[in-house]
Structures are given as structure tokens and as C-alpha cells.
Amino acid sequence: MVAYTELFSSFLRRNQIKLNEPMSRHTTFGIGGAADCFVMPETIEELQKVIVEVTKANVPFFILGGGANLLVRDKGIRGVVIYTGRLQSIIHEGNRLRVAAGVSTTKAAKAAMEHGLSGMEFAAGIPGTIGGAAYMNAGAYNGEMADIVVSVLSCNRNGQLSVYNKSKLHYDYRHSLFMENGEIIVEITVELAPGNIHDIEVMMEEFNRRRCMKQPLEKKSAGSTFKRPAGYFVGQMIEEMGLKGFAVGDAKVSMKHAGFLINDGHASCTDMMNLIFEIKRRVFDGYGVELMTEVQIVGEE
């Protein structure tokens, strides 16, 4: 049995360390069993020390941002969950912003607007943190993180920091280098264009109006559950299969947008996984298209 509190007590305060923390409190799905240990570093240096300690102790760890695009299994997560949401700095440098990984994507987009910088409007309503958005190359409304990220500061499993410039980030549809190398995004730098603050605000409000009309923002969800197959629209296929409103327990296909699965009460991960499986089966039978999940599924099986 790992003495987690002792592992981190020399550099983290007691209120930065939680044991047996329910992950349902930290995901937008509101689903997930307990993590053995949940730590909340507040500086890059604390994050580095946490990584060094878990690596030395051979303890598995998982990096958590805003908990969007994430489905945690009912048995929870063994080892340590490292929460980056307390890394909260935004530095303005001309047409660039340096943003700590834990800053919400929406907050970063608003900061860009306040500095009269255009190019992040698409991100204003994307849930989760900027670190998570950079990790998965999140996008919306014909924009994606690959369009604006110029460099990423990351931390490897030995606690060493590295800077990757844009050409090294391996950005593709919902993919980045960090899905390959396992390094932790600490800070990103985005390059934007000078713009009119009023025009930027109007565009952000328009994008958010569209989201409110089309997406079940009032429900617990992880956004689009499936990746978009070339030549098809996932929500349209699911709707045409008659699955709008289809449910397994409290896991349900949204009536507002069939590409969104929601926790309509107290859904378990098992409920959501069974719903995902059934949708994939029926879409494959009906269209010959194999849906791939965009949502990350983690935890003990």
C-alpha cells in the first residue's frame, strides 16, 4: 500500500492531497469511481516534483484537466490523478498569449478578446482546459487548436521540461504529439491576429448562441462522443437509426443533438459504455461505418 500523503507531504499542503476522491466530481459526465489519490499542484515546480515522486515510486498516474471528453470507469483510477486545473496564468506578449494548462478554454478565449486578439473565437465555448484542448487538438466552427498553437511547454516522466515548436506537434484531426509521447502539457503559446474587440465579442456570442440552440449544454455530457468519419455526420446517422432519446439506464442519446450522449440522472460508466456499444453496433449494421470514440475512457476495468 502506497503512503500517498507521505509521498507528497514535503512540498504539497494537506489540502492539495485527497484520498479516495470520486472522479464523478471532476468530469463533465458526472461519472466515475474513486481515484486512490488526487493531487492538485499549483505551480509548474510542484507539478514537476509530483511527477518525479510518482515515477520514483513506480506509481501509475493520470493527468486531469477540466474533465471534459473523459469517461471514468466505475471502479475508479488506481494510482495518482494529477489535476492541472490550479495552473492558472495568462501572459500577454504582443500577438501571443502564453497560457498555463489549467486555464479554461473559455477563459483563454476571453483573455484573447480583451487584448484585441482574434483567432480564438471558435474556442470560447469548448469545455475543459486549454491543456486538454491542445492535447486533443480540439476544434469547432471551422477552427482548431492546430491553427493557433505555436509552441507547447511539456514535462516528461523524469520531471524535465521541453519546448516543442509547431512543426513538432504532429497535429491532426483530434490528435497531437502528446498522445504519442506521454508527456504532460504545462503551458501553451498561441499566436493570434490583431482584431476589433467588439467584432470578436459578437462572433463569440454568435458561436455560443448556436451551441445553446443545438447542444444539450444544460445536461451532463462530454461533448461529441464520437469522432467524425470522413463523408458522414455522426449525429445524423444516429438520428436516422431512430436512436434519439434511446437510453441504457440514465445514459441517454440527447434529444437535442444525437451526437451527444448525456448522463440524465445517475448513469454509471457501465450504462454509458453499453450505450456507446449499442450505437456503434447499429450504425455499423446500418451504414457499414465503424464509429470511433472521441471521448477518452480510463480507469480500472
Side-chain angles (χ1 to χ4, degrees):
M1 182 76 178
V2 179
Y4 291 111
T5 303
E6 293 177 15
L7 202 60
F8 308 118
S9 60
S10 66
F11 57 92
L12 295 183
R13 301 186 309 277
R14 185 63 190 89
N15 64 3
Q16 290 176 270
I17 308 166
K18 295 184 178 182
L19 303 180
N20 299 314
E21 177 70 4
M23 291 301 295
S24 57
R25 296 177 181 172
H26 303 282
T27 65
T28 57
F29 256 143
I31 291 173
D36 291 341
C37 181
F38 188 93
V39 298
M40 297 166 279
E42 296 180 351
T43 65
I44 292 174
E45 292 76 17
E46 285 182 353
L47 175 65
Q48 289 174 277
K49 289 177 181 178
V50 169
I51 298 296
V52 168
E53 290 301 321
V54 295
T55 300
K56 282 197 305 188
N58 200 30
V59 172
F61 67 89
F62 177 75
I63 301 296
L64 176 73
N69 200 50
L70 184 67
L71 180 57
V72 178
R73 292 187 174 95
D74 297 320
K75 291 184 180 179
I77 298 177
R78 305 289 67 79
V80 177
V81 171
I82 304 171
Y83 175 64
T84 62
R86 293 192 177 182
L87 301 178
Q88 287 285 324
S89 64
I90 302 176
I91 299 171
H92 175 222
E93 300 172 333
N95 289 343
R96 295 186 174 191
L97 293 179
R98 282 200 292 127
V99 188
V103 173
S104 77
T105 314
T106 296
K107 182 178 178 181
K110 287 181 178 177
M113 177 194 72
E114 289 164 0
H115 288 292
L117 294 174
S118 177
M120 278 200 80
E121 291 87 340
F122 75 90
I126 293 176
T129 61
I130 200 76
Y135 174 83
M136 68 168 290
N137 190 21
Y141 299 111
N142 298 315
E144 60 183 8
M145 295 302 293
D147 299 333
I148 58 174
V149 175
V150 291
S151 67
V152 174
L153 177 68
S154 69
C155 178
N156 70 17
R157 291 172 182 255
N158 295 317
Q160 297 168 328
L161 299 177
S162 301
V163 176
Y164 291 91
N165 293 323
K166 186 167 189 171
S167 62
K168 305 291 185 183
L169 295 176
H170 297 187
Y171 271 137
D172 201 349
Y173 175 65
R174 301 299 177 261
H175 180 84
S176 77
L177 167 71
F178 304 98
M179 294 179 173
E180 304 165 12
N181 68 10
E183 294 187 15
I184 299 100
I185 294 175
V186 174
E187 180 184 86
I188 73 163
T189 299
V190 297
E191 184 164 28
L192 304 166
N196 178 277
I197 293 177
H198 174 73
D199 293 344
I200 295 168
E201 186 173 26
V202 167
M203 185 176 291
M204 286 168 57
E205 288 175 352
E206 171 60 16
F207 287 160
N208 283 326
R209 185 190 67 80
R210 292 187 208 173
R211 281 189 174 94
C212 288
M213 287 183 63
K214 296 180 180 179
Q215 299 176 11
L217 302 181
E218 72 284 0
K219 298 289 187 178
K220 297 175 186 175
S221 113
S224 298
T225 306
F226 301 100
K227 293 181 179 179
R228 184 183 68 245
Y232 294 90
F233 292 100
V234 173
Q236 182 179 333
M237 286 191 291
I238 294 173
E239 186 170 352
E240 288 175 357
M241 296 305 298
L243 292 174
K244 241 184 180 182
F246 178 73
V248 176
D250 280 341
K252 185 176 181 180
V253 179
S254 169
M255 290 296 295
K256 205 169 188 180
H257 189 313
F260 284 66
L261 306 188
I262 62 173
N263 175 1
D264 204 29
H266 301 283
S268 66
C269 181
T270 300
D271 292 337
M272 195 61 70
M273 292 282 286
N274 286 338
L275 179 60
I276 288 170
F277 175 83
E278 185 62 17
I279 291 168
K280 290 174 73 171
R281 185 186 71 80
R282 294 201 197 182
V283 168
F284 184 78
D285 287 348
Y287 293 89
V289 174
E290 185 174 0
L291 293 181
M292 305 297 291
T293 51
E294 182 173 309
V295 66
Q296 184 182 11
I297 302 166
V298 300
E300 183 181 358
E301 294 191 51

PDB file of all heavy atoms in Angstrom, residues 217-248:
ATOM      1  N   LEU A 217     -26.372  21.690 -23.549  1.00  0.00           N
ATOM      2  CA  LEU A 217     -25.438  22.269 -22.582  1.00  0.00           C
ATOM      3  C   LEU A 217     -25.974  22.212 -21.157  1.00  0.00           C
ATOM      4  O   LEU A 217     -25.212  22.328 -20.201  1.00  0.00           O
ATOM      5  CB  LEU A 217     -25.123  23.718 -22.966  1.00  0.00           C
ATOM      6  CG  LEU A 217     -24.523  23.940 -24.366  1.00  0.00           C
ATOM      7  CD1 LEU A 217     -24.239  25.414 -24.580  1.00  0.00           C
ATOM      8  CD2 LEU A 217     -23.256  23.113 -24.555  1.00  0.00           C
ATOM      9  N   GLU A 218     -27.280  22.050 -21.032  1.00  0.00           N
ATOM     10  CA  GLU A 218     -27.884  22.003 -19.705  1.00  0.00           C
ATOM     11  C   GLU A 218     -27.746  20.625 -19.057  1.00  0.00           C
ATOM     12  O   GLU A 218     -28.081  20.439 -17.884  1.00  0.00           O
ATOM     13  CB  GLU A 218     -29.372  22.391 -19.788  1.00  0.00           C
ATOM     14  CG  GLU A 218     -30.283  21.357 -20.439  1.00  0.00           C
ATOM     15  CD  GLU A 218     -30.191  21.296 -21.958  1.00  0.00           C
ATOM     16  OE1 GLU A 218     -29.397  22.062 -22.545  1.00  0.00           O
ATOM     17  OE2 GLU A 218     -30.917  20.475 -22.550  1.00  0.00           O
ATOM     18  N   LYS A 219     -27.250  19.645 -19.804  1.00  0.00           N
ATOM     19  CA  LYS A 219     -27.111  18.269 -19.317  1.00  0.00           C
ATOM     20  C   LYS A 219     -25.641  17.915 -19.097  1.00  0.00           C
ATOM     21  O   LYS A 219     -24.741  18.548 -19.649  1.00  0.00           O
ATOM     22  CB  LYS A 219     -27.727  17.285 -20.318  1.00  0.00           C
ATOM     23  CG  LYS A 219     -29.219  17.467 -20.560  1.00  0.00           C
ATOM     24  CD  LYS A 219     -30.027  17.040 -19.352  1.00  0.00           C
ATOM     25  CE  LYS A 219     -31.527  17.055 -19.651  1.00  0.00           C
ATOM     26  NZ  LYS A 219     -32.332  16.603 -18.495  1.00  0.00           N
ATOM     27  N   LYS A 220     -25.412  16.868 -18.306  1.00  0.00           N
ATOM     28  CA  LYS A 220     -24.049  16.370 -18.094  1.00  0.00           C
ATOM     29  C   LYS A 220     -23.629  15.564 -19.318  1.00  0.00           C
ATOM     30  O   LYS A 220     -24.233  14.538 -19.621  1.00  0.00           O
ATOM     31  CB  LYS A 220     -23.989  15.486 -16.849  1.00  0.00           C
ATOM     32  CG  LYS A 220     -24.325  16.188 -15.543  1.00  0.00           C
ATOM     33  CD  LYS A 220     -24.355  15.187 -14.413  1.00  0.00           C
ATOM     34  CE  LYS A 220     -24.834  15.807 -13.114  1.00  0.00           C
ATOM     35  NZ  LYS A 220     -24.980  14.802 -12.044  1.00  0.00           N
ATOM     36  N   SER A 221     -22.604  16.051 -20.004  1.00  0.00           N
ATOM     37  CA  SER A 221     -22.142  15.355 -21.202  1.00  0.00           C
ATOM     38  C   SER A 221     -20.661  15.616 -21.390  1.00  0.00           C
ATOM     39  O   SER A 221     -20.068  16.456 -20.710  1.00  0.00           O
ATOM     40  CB  SER A 221     -22.959  15.801 -22.421  1.00  0.00           C
ATOM     41  OG  SER A 221     -22.202  16.513 -23.335  1.00  0.00           O
ATOM     42  N   ALA A 222     -20.048  14.890 -22.313  1.00  0.00           N
ATOM     43  CA  ALA A 222     -18.627  15.089 -22.613  1.00  0.00           C
ATOM     44  C   ALA A 222     -18.459  15.667 -24.002  1.00  0.00           C
ATOM     45  O   ALA A 222     -17.425  15.485 -24.646  1.00  0.00           O
ATOM     46  CB  ALA A 222     -17.874  13.768 -22.487  1.00  0.00           C
ATOM     47  N   GLY A 223     -19.483  16.358 -24.497  1.00  0.00           N
ATOM     48  CA  GLY A 223     -19.417  16.884 -25.852  1.00  0.00           C
ATOM     49  C   GLY A 223     -19.674  15.792 -26.864  1.00  0.00           C
ATOM     50  O   GLY A 223     -20.356  14.800 -26.575  1.00  0.00           O
ATOM     51  N   SER A 224     -19.133  15.945 -28.050  1.00  0.00           N
ATOM     52  CA  SER A 224     -19.310  14.922 -29.087  1.00  0.00           C
ATOM     53  C   SER A 224     -18.636  13.634 -28.640  1.00  0.00           C
ATOM     54  O   SER A 224     -17.441  13.633 -28.334  1.00  0.00           O
ATOM     55  CB  SER A 224     -18.699  15.393 -30.408  1.00  0.00           C
ATOM     56  OG  SER A 224     -19.345  16.555 -30.869  1.00  0.00           O
ATOM     57  N   THR A 225     -19.387  12.546 -28.611  1.00  0.00           N
ATOM     58  CA  THR A 225     -18.847  11.286 -28.102  1.00  0.00           C
ATOM     59  C   THR A 225     -17.993  10.573 -29.133  1.00  0.00           C
ATOM     60  O   THR A 225     -17.034   9.884 -28.792  1.00  0.00           O
ATOM     61  CB  THR A 225     -20.005  10.370 -27.659  1.00  0.00           C
ATOM     62  OG1 THR A 225     -20.824  11.082 -26.724  1.00  0.00           O
ATOM     63  CG2 THR A 225     -19.481   9.102 -26.999  1.00  0.00           C
ATOM     64  N   PHE A 226     -18.328  10.750 -30.415  1.00  0.00           N
ATOM     65  CA  PHE A 226     -17.647  10.009 -31.482  1.00  0.00           C
ATOM     66  C   PHE A 226     -16.885  10.941 -32.415  1.00  0.00           C
ATOM     67  O   PHE A 226     -17.294  12.081 -32.643  1.00  0.00           O
ATOM     68  CB  PHE A 226     -18.673   9.207 -32.302  1.00  0.00           C
ATOM     69  CG  PHE A 226     -19.467   8.227 -31.488  1.00  0.00           C
ATOM     70  CD1 PHE A 226     -20.758   8.547 -31.072  1.00  0.00           C
ATOM     71  CD2 PHE A 226     -18.930   6.998 -31.124  1.00  0.00           C
ATOM     72  CE1 PHE A 226     -21.507   7.645 -30.325  1.00  0.00           C
ATOM     73  CE2 PHE A 226     -19.666   6.104 -30.372  1.00  0.00           C
ATOM     74  CZ  PHE A 226     -20.952   6.424 -29.968  1.00  0.00           C
ATOM     75  N   LYS A 227     -15.791  10.443 -32.957  1.00  0.00           N
ATOM     76  CA  LYS A 227     -15.056  11.174 -33.983  1.00  0.00           C
ATOM     77  C   LYS A 227     -15.876  11.192 -35.269  1.00  0.00           C
ATOM     78  O   LYS A 227     -16.677  10.284 -35.517  1.00  0.00           O
ATOM     79  CB  LYS A 227     -13.702  10.507 -34.248  1.00  0.00           C
ATOM     80  CG  LYS A 227     -12.737  10.576 -33.081  1.00  0.00           C
ATOM     81  CD  LYS A 227     -11.406   9.918 -33.432  1.00  0.00           C
ATOM     82  CE  LYS A 227     -10.431   9.997 -32.267  1.00  0.00           C
ATOM     83  NZ  LYS A 227      -9.133   9.352 -32.574  1.00  0.00           N
ATOM     84  N   ARG A 228     -15.644  12.194 -36.084  1.00  0.00           N
ATOM     85  CA  ARG A 228     -16.388  12.332 -37.331  1.00  0.00           C
ATOM     86  C   ARG A 228     -15.747  11.469 -38.421  1.00  0.00           C
ATOM     87  O   ARG A 228     -14.612  11.712 -38.816  1.00  0.00           O
ATOM     88  CB  ARG A 228     -16.390  13.799 -37.772  1.00  0.00           C
ATOM     89  CG  ARG A 228     -17.223  14.056 -39.024  1.00  0.00           C
ATOM     90  CD  ARG A 228     -17.117  15.517 -39.452  1.00  0.00           C
ATOM     91  NE  ARG A 228     -15.777  15.839 -39.923  1.00  0.00           N
ATOM     92  CZ  ARG A 228     -14.944  16.690 -39.335  1.00  0.00           C
ATOM     93  NH1 ARG A 228     -15.307  17.303 -38.221  1.00  0.00           N
ATOM     94  NH2 ARG A 228     -13.749  16.937 -39.827  1.00  0.00           N
ATOM     95  N   PRO A 229     -16.471  10.459 -38.939  1.00  0.00           N
ATOM     96  CA  PRO A 229     -15.916   9.669 -40.046  1.00  0.00           C
ATOM     97  C   PRO A 229     -15.969  10.478 -41.343  1.00  0.00           C
ATOM     98  O   PRO A 229     -16.901  11.262 -41.550  1.00  0.00           O
ATOM     99  CB  PRO A 229     -16.853   8.456 -40.144  1.00  0.00           C
ATOM    100  CG  PRO A 229     -17.865   8.602 -39.054  1.00  0.00           C
ATOM    101  CD  PRO A 229     -17.813  10.012 -38.563  1.00  0.00           C
ATOM    102  N   ALA A 230     -14.990  10.290 -42.193  1.00  0.00           N
ATOM    103  CA  ALA A 230     -14.944  11.042 -43.457  1.00  0.00           C
ATOM    104  C   ALA A 230     -16.212  10.797 -44.265  1.00  0.00           C
ATOM    105  O   ALA A 230     -16.618   9.655 -44.494  1.00  0.00           O
ATOM    106  CB  ALA A 230     -13.719  10.614 -44.266  1.00  0.00           C
ATOM    107  N   GLY A 231     -16.855  11.884 -44.651  1.00  0.00           N
ATOM    108  CA  GLY A 231     -18.030  11.782 -45.519  1.00  0.00           C
ATOM    109  C   GLY A 231     -19.345  11.567 -44.805  1.00  0.00           C
ATOM    110  O   GLY A 231     -20.385  11.413 -45.453  1.00  0.00           O
ATOM    111  N   TYR A 232     -19.333  11.535 -43.468  1.00  0.00           N
ATOM    112  CA  TYR A 232     -20.564  11.272 -42.719  1.00  0.00           C
ATOM    113  C   TYR A 232     -20.705  12.262 -41.564  1.00  0.00           C
ATOM    114  O   TYR A 232     -19.722  12.831 -41.087  1.00  0.00           O
ATOM    115  CB  TYR A 232     -20.551   9.851 -42.127  1.00  0.00           C
ATOM    116  CG  TYR A 232     -20.593   8.743 -43.147  1.00  0.00           C
ATOM    117  CD1 TYR A 232     -19.413   8.219 -43.671  1.00  0.00           C
ATOM    118  CD2 TYR A 232     -21.804   8.212 -43.574  1.00  0.00           C
ATOM    119  CE1 TYR A 232     -19.441   7.188 -44.605  1.00  0.00           C
ATOM    120  CE2 TYR A 232     -21.848   7.181 -44.507  1.00  0.00           C
ATOM    121  CZ  TYR A 232     -20.664   6.679 -45.022  1.00  0.00           C
ATOM    122  OH  TYR A 232     -20.693   5.668 -45.937  1.00  0.00           O
ATOM    123  N   PHE A 233     -21.961  12.424 -41.109  1.00  0.00           N
ATOM    124  CA  PHE A 233     -22.242  13.187 -39.894  1.00  0.00           C
ATOM    125  C   PHE A 233     -22.777  12.212 -38.855  1.00  0.00           C
ATOM    126  O   PHE A 233     -23.800  11.553 -39.074  1.00  0.00           O
ATOM    127  CB  PHE A 233     -23.259  14.292 -40.167  1.00  0.00           C
ATOM    128  CG  PHE A 233     -22.740  15.381 -41.058  1.00  0.00           C
ATOM    129  CD1 PHE A 233     -23.066  15.404 -42.406  1.00  0.00           C
ATOM    130  CD2 PHE A 233     -21.909  16.374 -40.556  1.00  0.00           C
ATOM    131  CE1 PHE A 233     -22.589  16.404 -43.237  1.00  0.00           C
ATOM    132  CE2 PHE A 233     -21.424  17.380 -41.373  1.00  0.00           C
ATOM    133  CZ  PHE A 233     -21.760  17.390 -42.720  1.00  0.00           C
ATOM    134  N   VAL A 234     -22.076  12.108 -37.729  1.00  0.00           N
ATOM    135  CA  VAL A 234     -22.419  11.103 -36.728  1.00  0.00           C
ATOM    136  C   VAL A 234     -23.836  11.301 -36.194  1.00  0.00           C
ATOM    137  O   VAL A 234     -24.633  10.357 -36.120  1.00  0.00           O
ATOM    138  CB  VAL A 234     -21.403  11.129 -35.561  1.00  0.00           C
ATOM    139  CG1 VAL A 234     -21.856  10.190 -34.438  1.00  0.00           C
ATOM    140  CG2 VAL A 234     -20.026  10.718 -36.053  1.00  0.00           C
ATOM    141  N   GLY A 235     -24.158  12.544 -35.799  1.00  0.00           N
ATOM    142  CA  GLY A 235     -25.480  12.805 -35.242  1.00  0.00           C
ATOM    143  C   GLY A 235     -26.590  12.429 -36.200  1.00  0.00           C
ATOM    144  O   GLY A 235     -27.619  11.867 -35.805  1.00  0.00           O
ATOM    145  N   GLN A 236     -26.391  12.715 -37.479  1.00  0.00           N
ATOM    146  CA  GLN A 236     -27.401  12.396 -38.493  1.00  0.00           C
ATOM    147  C   GLN A 236     -27.595  10.885 -38.616  1.00  0.00           C
ATOM    148  O   GLN A 236     -28.736  10.408 -38.693  1.00  0.00           O
ATOM    149  CB  GLN A 236     -26.966  12.973 -39.840  1.00  0.00           C
ATOM    150  CG  GLN A 236     -27.974  12.743 -40.964  1.00  0.00           C
ATOM    151  CD  GLN A 236     -27.498  13.360 -42.285  1.00  0.00           C
ATOM    152  OE1 GLN A 236     -26.736  14.322 -42.290  1.00  0.00           O
ATOM    153  NE2 GLN A 236     -27.937  12.804 -43.392  1.00  0.00           N
ATOM    154  N   MET A 237     -26.493  10.127 -38.617  1.00  0.00           N
ATOM    155  CA  MET A 237     -26.605   8.663 -38.706  1.00  0.00           C
ATOM    156  C   MET A 237     -27.346   8.096 -37.503  1.00  0.00           C
ATOM    157  O   MET A 237     -28.230   7.238 -37.647  1.00  0.00           O
ATOM    158  CB  MET A 237     -25.213   8.030 -38.819  1.00  0.00           C
ATOM    159  CG  MET A 237     -24.555   8.210 -40.163  1.00  0.00           C
ATOM    160  SD  MET A 237     -23.068   7.171 -40.361  1.00  0.00           S
ATOM    161  CE  MET A 237     -21.937   7.952 -39.208  1.00  0.00           C
ATOM    162  N   ILE A 238     -26.978   8.578 -36.307  1.00  0.00           N
ATOM    163  CA  ILE A 238     -27.616   8.070 -35.090  1.00  0.00           C
ATOM    164  C   ILE A 238     -29.107   8.397 -35.098  1.00  0.00           C
ATOM    165  O   ILE A 238     -29.944   7.548 -34.748  1.00  0.00           O
ATOM    166  CB  ILE A 238     -26.926   8.657 -33.838  1.00  0.00           C
ATOM    167  CG1 ILE A 238     -25.481   8.148 -33.738  1.00  0.00           C
ATOM    168  CG2 ILE A 238     -27.692   8.302 -32.565  1.00  0.00           C
ATOM    169  CD1 ILE A 238     -24.656   8.809 -32.636  1.00  0.00           C
ATOM    170  N   GLU A 239     -29.440   9.603 -35.538  1.00  0.00           N
ATOM    171  CA  GLU A 239     -30.845  10.009 -35.594  1.00  0.00           C
ATOM    172  C   GLU A 239     -31.613   9.175 -36.618  1.00  0.00           C
ATOM    173  O   GLU A 239     -32.744   8.737 -36.355  1.00  0.00           O
ATOM    174  CB  GLU A 239     -30.946  11.492 -35.931  1.00  0.00           C
ATOM    175  CG  GLU A 239     -32.357  12.034 -35.879  1.00  0.00           C
ATOM    176  CD  GLU A 239     -32.421  13.552 -35.971  1.00  0.00           C
ATOM    177  OE1 GLU A 239     -31.363  14.191 -35.914  1.00  0.00           O
ATOM    178  OE2 GLU A 239     -33.544  14.070 -36.099  1.00  0.00           O
ATOM    179  N   GLU A 240     -30.988   8.941 -37.770  1.00  0.00           N
ATOM    180  CA  GLU A 240     -31.654   8.154 -38.811  1.00  0.00           C
ATOM    181  C   GLU A 240     -31.857   6.693 -38.397  1.00  0.00           C
ATOM    182  O   GLU A 240     -32.744   6.014 -38.932  1.00  0.00           O
ATOM    183  CB  GLU A 240     -30.862   8.229 -40.114  1.00  0.00           C
ATOM    184  CG  GLU A 240     -30.977   9.601 -40.790  1.00  0.00           C
ATOM    185  CD  GLU A 240     -30.092   9.734 -42.016  1.00  0.00           C
ATOM    186  OE1 GLU A 240     -29.330   8.780 -42.318  1.00  0.00           O
ATOM    187  OE2 GLU A 240     -30.150  10.799 -42.679  1.00  0.00           O
ATOM    188  N   MET A 241     -31.038   6.217 -37.445  1.00  0.00           N
ATOM    189  CA  MET A 241     -31.233   4.865 -36.911  1.00  0.00           C
ATOM    190  C   MET A 241     -32.324   4.835 -35.838  1.00  0.00           C
ATOM    191  O   MET A 241     -32.586   3.794 -35.236  1.00  0.00           O
ATOM    192  CB  MET A 241     -29.919   4.333 -36.318  1.00  0.00           C
ATOM    193  CG  MET A 241     -28.788   4.152 -37.330  1.00  0.00           C
ATOM    194  SD  MET A 241     -29.232   3.103 -38.734  1.00  0.00           S
ATOM    195  CE  MET A 241     -29.575   1.558 -37.928  1.00  0.00           C
ATOM    196  N   GLY A 242     -32.964   5.974 -35.608  1.00  0.00           N
ATOM    197  CA  GLY A 242     -34.062   6.046 -34.634  1.00  0.00           C
ATOM    198  C   GLY A 242     -33.604   6.014 -33.190  1.00  0.00           C
ATOM    199  O   GLY A 242     -34.369   5.613 -32.305  1.00  0.00           O
ATOM    200  N   LEU A 243     -32.374   6.485 -32.930  1.00  0.00           N
ATOM    201  CA  LEU A 243     -31.802   6.355 -31.592  1.00  0.00           C
ATOM    202  C   LEU A 243     -31.869   7.630 -30.753  1.00  0.00           C
ATOM    203  O   LEU A 243     -31.371   7.641 -29.632  1.00  0.00           O
ATOM    204  CB  LEU A 243     -30.343   5.886 -31.699  1.00  0.00           C
ATOM    205  CG  LEU A 243     -30.155   4.451 -32.217  1.00  0.00           C
ATOM    206  CD1 LEU A 243     -28.681   4.149 -32.429  1.00  0.00           C
ATOM    207  CD2 LEU A 243     -30.771   3.446 -31.248  1.00  0.00           C
ATOM    208  N   LYS A 244     -32.449   8.694 -31.278  1.00  0.00           N
ATOM    209  CA  LYS A 244     -32.608   9.890 -30.453  1.00  0.00           C
ATOM    210  C   LYS A 244     -33.473   9.551 -29.235  1.00  0.00           C
ATOM    211  O   LYS A 244     -34.571   9.012 -29.374  1.00  0.00           O
ATOM    212  CB  LYS A 244     -33.270  11.006 -31.268  1.00  0.00           C
ATOM    213  CG  LYS A 244     -32.419  12.250 -31.406  1.00  0.00           C
ATOM    214  CD  LYS A 244     -33.150  13.363 -32.127  1.00  0.00           C
ATOM    215  CE  LYS A 244     -32.252  14.589 -32.228  1.00  0.00           C
ATOM    216  NZ  LYS A 244     -32.922  15.715 -32.870  1.00  0.00           N
ATOM    217  N   GLY A 245     -32.969   9.844 -28.044  1.00  0.00           N
ATOM    218  CA  GLY A 245     -33.708   9.525 -26.829  1.00  0.00           C
ATOM    219  C   GLY A 245     -33.498   8.116 -26.331  1.00  0.00           C
ATOM    220  O   GLY A 245     -33.952   7.773 -25.234  1.00  0.00           O
ATOM    221  N   PHE A 246     -32.798   7.275 -27.106  1.00  0.00           N
ATOM    222  CA  PHE A 246     -32.526   5.899 -26.677  1.00  0.00           C
ATOM    223  C   PHE A 246     -31.643   5.928 -25.429  1.00  0.00           C
ATOM    224  O   PHE A 246     -30.702   6.703 -25.337  1.00  0.00           O
ATOM    225  CB  PHE A 246     -31.830   5.130 -27.803  1.00  0.00           C
ATOM    226  CG  PHE A 246     -31.469   3.718 -27.457  1.00  0.00           C
ATOM    227  CD1 PHE A 246     -32.450   2.742 -27.364  1.00  0.00           C
ATOM    228  CD2 PHE A 246     -30.148   3.352 -27.225  1.00  0.00           C
ATOM    229  CE1 PHE A 246     -32.120   1.425 -27.051  1.00  0.00           C
ATOM    230  CE2 PHE A 246     -29.805   2.059 -26.912  1.00  0.00           C
ATOM    231  CZ  PHE A 246     -30.800   1.088 -26.820  1.00  0.00           C
ATOM    232  N   ALA A 247     -31.950   5.060 -24.452  1.00  0.00           N
ATOM    233  CA  ALA A 247     -31.230   5.101 -23.178  1.00  0.00           C
ATOM    234  C   ALA A 247     -30.873   3.708 -22.682  1.00  0.00           C
ATOM    235  O   ALA A 247     -31.573   2.731 -22.958  1.00  0.00           O
ATOM    236  CB  ALA A 247     -32.065   5.829 -22.126  1.00  0.00           C
ATOM    237  N   VAL A 248     -29.775   3.649 -21.969  1.00  0.00           N
ATOM    238  CA  VAL A 248     -29.405   2.476 -21.170  1.00  0.00           C
ATOM    239  C   VAL A 248     -29.235   2.991 -19.751  1.00  0.00           C
ATOM    240  O   VAL A 248     -28.297   3.739 -19.457  1.00  0.00           O
ATOM    241  CB  VAL A 248     -28.097   1.829 -21.663  1.00  0.00           C
ATOM    242  CG1 VAL A 248     -27.704   0.683 -20.738  1.00  0.00           C
ATOM    243  CG2 VAL A 248     -28.233   1.338 -23.095  1.00  0.00           C
TER     244      VAL A 248
END
